[in-house]
Amino acid sequence: MTTPQPDLSVVIPAYNEEGRLGRTLAQVADHLRGTPLSWEIVVVDDGSADGTAEVAERAAASEPRVRLVRDPVNGGKGHAVRSGVLRTTGRQVLVCDADLATPIEELAALRGALASGADAAIGSRAVSGARIETRQTRPRETLGVLANLLIRALVLPGVADTQCGFKLFDGDKARAVFGRGRLTGWAADVEILRLFRDQGWRVREVPVRWAHQPVSRVRPYHYLTALAEVLRLRVGLSARPLAVSAVFLVLSTLLYAHLWADPWSRYLTDGGQDQNQWEWFFAVTAHNVAGLGNPLFTTLQNHPSGVNLMANTVMLGLSIPLAPLTLALGPSVTWAVVLTAGLAATGTTWYLLFARHLVRSWRAAAVGAAFCAFAPPIVSHGNAHPNFVVLFVIPLIIGRLVLLVRRQRVVRDGVVLGLLASYQVYLGEEVLLLTAVGLAVFWLVYAMTHPRRARTAAAPLAAGLALAATVGIGLTGMALVHQFFGPQSYASLIHGPAGNDMLALVSYATRSLAGDADVAASLSLNPTEQNAFFGWPLLALTAGVVWWLRRLPAVPALGAVTLAAMVLSLGPEIVVGGTPTGVPGPWLAMSRLPLFESVLESRLTMVCVPAIGALLALAADRVPARPPARLLLCLALAEALLPVAPTPIVAADRPPVPAFFAQGLWREYVRPGRAVVTAPLPDAADATPLHWQVAAGLGFPLAEGYFVGPFGPDRQGVYGAPPRPTSALLREVRDSGAVPAIGEKERASVREDLAFWRADVVVLGPHHRQAALRTTLSALLGPGRQEGGVWLWKVADLVQPGRGPALSHG
């Protein structure tokens, strides 16, 4: 016959408590008999040398609901409490000291806290409403205050009193957490409360009556041993995340091993011209910081019109604090550090989110976090786009939303959420927008499947979001106004259909272990935009996990996020194997919404990454105990994850910078405020001149460049400057290798363009079309001269036919 589960289990640890244990048991039992609760009392004799066990045995003989657990050796209070809790069966578990310094009548207040949503209610002498009827001696009270301050600073911020000795827990959660406890002394309470908090369970302090008992087992040296345990706990809490973070850093370094071989001269070849652009971004930000310039705008590129840096993803949130590194070691090192450390930091914060709020096992959290950091879309962007690699703020934002839903500290969490979201704006706004899409889908499905929970969470969530928006407007408002309405701002970014091919979802990326570069290239825009490529085993496993764990509250919503993001990423028309089907995708309507018109829709599959990572963590956390099932799940995880494991990103040596720029020869030809015109002019196809400019210390501005700026009367965003006749002509020569016919019309255009650019010199550096470009420039400008590894034409030397000196630059 099965014994009914009692409503309450009371655990009383006892060490040499012969003199007062009998009175305490009588008071507790008498009080519980007067309640409608079913109950049990578990007394743990912690190796007492007196008659404590005999007192408990006599109580058990007269009251069968009292049980004795005997430990032959004194293991410490924490050991005794854990031993007792693990032997309980009650729906709620009360742990109280044998001296009953807090009367058993205070149980009702703690039960009320659990009824209102707390998972643990702890009696507190330090919150409003508490009554201390008999105080401790002044030295003992001072030591207690200092101990609580240290505990708050090191382990449990926000909990004012951890040592009251009267705590009520949800029974199942208590048994799960006490089973993981390791401390055996007086600081074990702190460890348990920290474990509760790490699980995202609510701990609430409840004011109680308390009276110091004259015969106390707490001696002054106990404060020292407790301090040692708290320090041990602090180190232990830090050690595992630090170890996981160190592993992620090693993996990230291996991923970029070819770049780190010589970061000053290596280039990520799959990234096109983006490394040149990003190094320029880091360099110009450091230049602005050092010169106290405007970090939101510059004329060093696209002279004289300039570049709206806020409207380009310059990652001010990193490029500004890393300015000293850039100034000391150069932007190439900053580029390598941002990519490598950014991946490791992203994996670490996903680990912390999963470990604290999603799963019990740190290994399961690490599995999910590793996927979030090194998934195929992330590695693809790791060739060129640090704004899609450095994502460590996103898990922090999600974690803060979780805390808001749990209604612990709405004002604090709302303000912190606003700070985090503001910082993410200065790292990358598109990522924040994609995150909002994923969270909106999650909340919608969660509200549909758990309406009662959603209604309870709606008010604190709305209040927190309102606070976050207020903070965010204050911290980003001026910068956003500059971005959208300032000089060189643009309305929206022009791009054609960029949806994922359906086959890209089940194929493998170029840098995945099972990847085929030719297949991946045929299914993507370029190696930096392989935004899906999960492989069919991973998608099959994801679907299986959703079905298997569908009763867990978050799982249906995570599955919906994954499916919705994949469908939206297919773009305005479904394409299969490169063939348009004529079937419109849901993105067709969504792309007309404000802000979304600038999003590359294939990137929406990046929203799938954390959702799949969370599902993998949940699956790994619930590995079946039976060996066959355990082996099957482990094999499924290996089959799904090994093919998408990343291989090192390719890097190659850069061509040397011409001495004209590297050795400062340009200073003889360029006056302050005057521009250098390179042939061809820098653009998205070839931004090498940006690298030369950085090597020259940003001592001169460049005409045109590689950035996003306005085009046409509608100010649509395009990559690069609106082409002028001369830049268009030189790009045609670069692309075709053919020398065009040059007449007076072309010469007049080049004179007009050089005047517009306020140029002092035209420079032709090393180029595979150098012969054709030199012939064209000679026909336009006359014979050039060779110096410092380049051909150059000094604008002041040019002569307009029949009209004397060509251009005045006074």
Side-chain angles (χ1 to χ4, degrees), residues 321-343:
L322 291 179
L325 175 66
T326 305
L327 294 170
L329 299 178
S332 298
V333 173
T334 303
W335 164 256
V337 167
V338 166
L339 290 172
T340 307
L343 272 179

Side-chain angles (χ1 to χ4, degrees), residues 112-134:
L114 259 62
S116 64
D119 301 297
I122 63 174
S124 176
R125 299 160 291 184
V127 296
S128 177
R131 285 192 296 158
I132 299 179
E133 297 175 343
T134 304

Side-chain angles (χ1 to χ4, degrees), residues 537-550:
L538 179 58
L539 295 185
L541 176 63
T542 301
V545 170
V546 171
W547 177 256
W548 171 36
L549 302 177
R550 63 190 181 278

Side-chain angles (χ1 to χ4, degrees), residues 744-765:
E744 184 53 35
K745 177 183 177 182
E746 287 74 23
R747 295 188 183 95
S749 293
V750 76
R751 290 193 294 269
E752 182 179 341
D753 291 342
L754 291 173
F756 173 80
W757 291 322
R758 301 175 189 174
D760 266 358
V761 68
V762 179
V763 178
L764 171 60

Side-chain angles (χ1 to χ4, degrees), residues 44 143 161 193 213 406 447 480 484 521 555 606 721:
V44 183
L143 286 173
D161 183 5
L193 295 176
Q213 302 302 302
R406 288 174 177 163
L480 293 175
F484 291 106
V555 168
M606 297 188 72

Side-chain angles (χ1 to χ4, degrees), residues 371 375-377 500-524 530-540 566 575-578 605 639-645:
F371 179 79
N500 281 316
D501 191 303
M502 282 196 70
L503 295 185
L505 298 175
V506 296
S507 300
Y508 295 107
T510 299
R511 294 297 158 212
S512 290
L513 195 61
D516 183 308
D518 293 333
V519 172
S522 69
L523 298 173
S524 61
Q530 293 177 3
N531 291 309
F533 297 91
F534 298 114
W536 69 264
L538 179 58
L539 295 185
M566 286 184 181
V575 176
V576 181
T605 37
E639 175 69 22
L641 295 178
L642 283 178
V644 298

